[in-house]
Amino acid sequence: MNYIWASGTDTGLVRDGNEDMVFPPTAGASRGPVLVGVADGMGGHVAGEVASRVAMEAAVAAPPEADETPVSRVRKANEAVLAAGEERPELRGMGTTMTLGRFGHDGVLDIGHVGDSRAYLLRDGDLELLTTDHTVVEELVGLGHLSRDAAFSHPKRHLLTRSLGLGPVEVDAVNLEVVPGDRVMMCSDGLTDMVEEMTIRRILAESPDPEAAVWGLIEAANAAGGVDNVSVVVVDVAP
Ligand code: MG
């Protein structure tokens, strides 16, 4: 398998700083294994920026070929954010989401996931959401109390039920096999809050390469108002 990726992050049009982190920070290609991920930090002042950076650094500290699952990496990220909060009391209470994927040379994609950043798969023109948001609103949708359309604009859609940095955390595991022609996208909620899935699908399907897809999506989020930081990583699977 050959993986070709690009990533981008943007402050958006409203926020003063960017509390998102994306990995890898630059485009590239490899036969795998490849680590990719997004983290969306939260907390006052600089705390959100510290949380997502500390978390991502811990998650990717071991090289991609290390015998360590994304779930285990996300747990280590959680411990790192907690430890940083212990050391610097002014940062206590900071948190972050994390969606981290590892593409194996055999075509297996393993994902560890906490929070409301997302992973999507574009296959044969169809867009599939691979992760579940850990939000109060998503729980209401799951229970049938709220429609998915109503959830998109719900005023409390940002309330997380799980994040890194608060204590012990349950990490979701997603595992699938990718095939040549697949395009995988991970993003922070700055994209999915602003841009409907049908538009995300269209941009992903129409962009000729990962770089064009990343910046097409970021531009769409900003064109829709850009109220949050937005981060996107796109990985194309080739033979
Ligand atoms: Mg966000």
Side-chain angles (χ1 to χ4, degrees):
M1 221 58 87
N2 200 15
Y3 302 106
I4 304 119
W5 68 85
S7 66
T9 183
D10 192 79
T11 305
L13 306 178
V14 175
R15 300 283 180 92
D16 292 329
N18 190 344
E19 300 182 324
D20 283 0
M21 274 292 287
V22 65
F23 188 87
T26 53
S30 158
R31 303 202 77 79
V34 177
L35 285 172
V36 305
V38 293
D40 180 350
M42 60 210 82
H45 295 290
V46 296
E49 289 176 45
V50 174
S52 60
R53 181 172 47 78
V54 166
M56 192 62 82
E57 284 173 359
V60 304
E65 48 281 355
D67 185 18
E68 186 165 26
T69 64
V71 167
S72 157
R73 290 173 182 272
V74 175
R75 285 203 194 101
K76 282 194 175 164
N78 185 47
E79 288 160 17
V81 177
L82 285 165
E86 291 292 318
E87 270 173 35
R88 294 171 62 185
E90 75 274 17
L91 300 177
R92 205 161 286 165
M94 65 181 173
T96 185
T97 73
M98 179 167 279
T99 303
L100 188 80
R102 180 183 184 271
F103 293 82
H105 58 79
D106 53 359
V108 174
L109 169 58
D110 297 301
I111 296 171
H113 165 74
V114 170
D116 67 350
S117 300
R118 291 182 177 176
Y120 286 92
L121 170 66
L122 183 79
R123 175 176 287 174
D124 300 329
D126 294 325
L127 187 67
E128 181 190 353
L129 177 59
L130 299 174
T131 48
T132 304
D133 290 354
H134 299 135
T135 59
V136 172
V137 160
E138 184 59 34
E139 288 194 356
L140 293 174
V141 171
L143 291 167
H145 296 325
L146 195 70
S147 74
R148 201 153 284 288
D149 279 352
F152 182 77
S153 54
H154 196 283
K156 292 187 175 168
R157 63 188 179 280
H158 301 291
L159 280 183
L160 297 181
T161 53
R162 289 191 224 169
S163 63
L164 305 188
L166 296 180
V169 70
E170 185 187 347
V171 182
D172 283 358
V174 180
N175 317 93
L176 66 149
E177 283 197 28
V178 292
V179 295
D182 283 352
R183 177 168 275 178
V184 174
M185 187 271 286
M186 294 182 189
C187 63
S188 60
D189 68 338
L191 176 67
T192 49
D193 254 13
M194 306 304 303
V195 184
E196 304 242 24
E197 278 186 351
M198 56 182 290
T199 305
I200 292 174
R201 191 209 68 79
R202 182 181 54 75
I203 292 169
L204 282 172
E206 291 177 355
S207 299
D209 54 56
E211 193 82 32
V214 164
W215 292 104
L217 291 168
I218 290 173
E219 280 169 19
N222 284 337
V227 301
D228 194 4
N229 309 144
V230 54
S231 299
V232 180
V233 52
V234 171
V235 182
D236 277 2
V237 184

